[in-house]
Amino acid sequence: MTSQPGPARYTLVSFHAHPDDEALLTAGTLARAAAEGHRVVVVVATAGEAGAARADWTGDHLGDRRIRELEASAAAIGAARVEVLGYPDTGWPVPTSGEGISGPADPGGPVPFSQLDAEPLAADLAALLVEEGADVLTTYDENGGYGHPDHVQVHRVGAMAAEIAGTPVVLEATIDRALIWRAVNVLRALAWVLPMPVLPDLSTAYTARGDLTHRVDVRDYVSDKSESLRAHASQSTRARDDGARTLALILRLPRPVRRRVIGREWFRERGRQVGGDLLDDVFASLRPRPECGHA
């Protein structure tokens, strides 16, 4: 009797700009892949040292703190490896009513990640993809989600690296744009209970529903995703410590509501024709197609 081969095991590399990005956009998918026996590798371009944080957490040690938070997040989702590439964080300009201490890198300092030549960055990432034998790479959509320059650079670098390494599947992590507006309306309705975060212009953010290829059900992994989010404590409060940011708002939601809000994650697969039913399997393009029977 011939034994049947077991289910295929794949390697998924998830590329992000800063610690906490992996939690917000992909933690459920990564936890699900790890639980199903696949190898999950989290790669972060910067340590997030120029990001928004509480005043007493900023400065030279913020990057070190955020790396430790990333390691705790990766453990929560079952990642087998974490790599921080160490490029300088670009930061993010502070709105007048600001969420935290953040801004562009020191003009006299190193060139930030978003302004570096993408080709050598892609070569570095491609070397890691080859080392890992990556089957799937996640990056961001062409908008970089909400337009953060480091996120846009992740999109560019990831696409180039996958081409160099021959990684067969590239999934652009994103959010269904139609649902963003619905979520904003919910937050406004709950403003008397939960303070509204400062939001960028979302009219062209993330990806239109008609351009998506995947909607991944991660409701069984909401606890893992919540632990991943919770690990990033430095990103849960404003500089003045007077209110919550988006990450903390998610964690404050009642459990049934949170399950609905973060129980699905969205992707656009590069090169896959859009239209039809959205896929629930990030490895769908790698799996053998069932053979048709013959009469």
Side-chain angles (χ1 to χ4, degrees), residues 115-148:
Q115 297 175 26
L116 292 171
D117 183 356
E119 290 190 10
L121 305 183
D124 289 345
L125 179 60
L128 187 149
L129 296 175
V130 171
E131 176 189 345
E132 284 288 345
D135 301 294
V136 176
L137 172 68
T138 77
T139 63
Y140 303 141
D141 62 28
E142 63 182 5
N143 299 317
Y146 58 91
H148 192 299

Side-chain angles (χ1 to χ4, degrees), residues 2-158:
T2 303
S3 61
Q4 295 297 318
R9 296 289 182 255
Y10 300 112
T11 296
L12 188 163
V13 175
S14 194
F15 182 39
H16 296 276
H18 318 98
D20 88 339
D21 292 330
E22 86 294 340
L24 288 163
L25 289 174
T26 62
T29 298
L30 302 183
R32 174 175 161 178
E36 291 173 352
H38 305 290
R39 179 172 171 82
V40 171
V41 177
V42 176
V43 181
V44 178
T46 81
E49 70 276 7
R54 221 171 64 182
D56 58 325
W57 286 347
T58 58
D60 294 339
H61 301 297
L62 178 59
D64 292 338
R65 180 186 181 93
R66 295 193 69 182
I67 290 172
R68 292 195 300 271
E69 292 174 346
L70 173 66
E71 291 169 347
S73 167
I77 58 181
R81 178 182 177 185
V82 179
E83 288 291 330
V84 180
L85 301 180
Y87 303 120
D89 185 9
T90 301
W92 184 246
V94 184
T96 302
S97 57
E99 280 202 358
I101 296 175
S102 182
D106 182 351
V111 178
F113 173 64
S114 63
Q115 297 175 26
L116 292 171
D117 183 356
E119 290 190 10
L121 305 183
D124 289 345
L125 179 60
L128 187 149
L129 296 175
V130 171
E131 176 189 345
E132 284 288 345
D135 301 294
V136 176
L137 172 68
T138 77
T139 63
Y140 303 141
D141 62 28
E142 63 182 5
N143 299 317
Y146 58 91
H148 192 299
D150 283 344
H151 290 217
V152 176
Q153 182 77 309
V154 163
H155 168 80
R156 288 193 295 257
V157 170

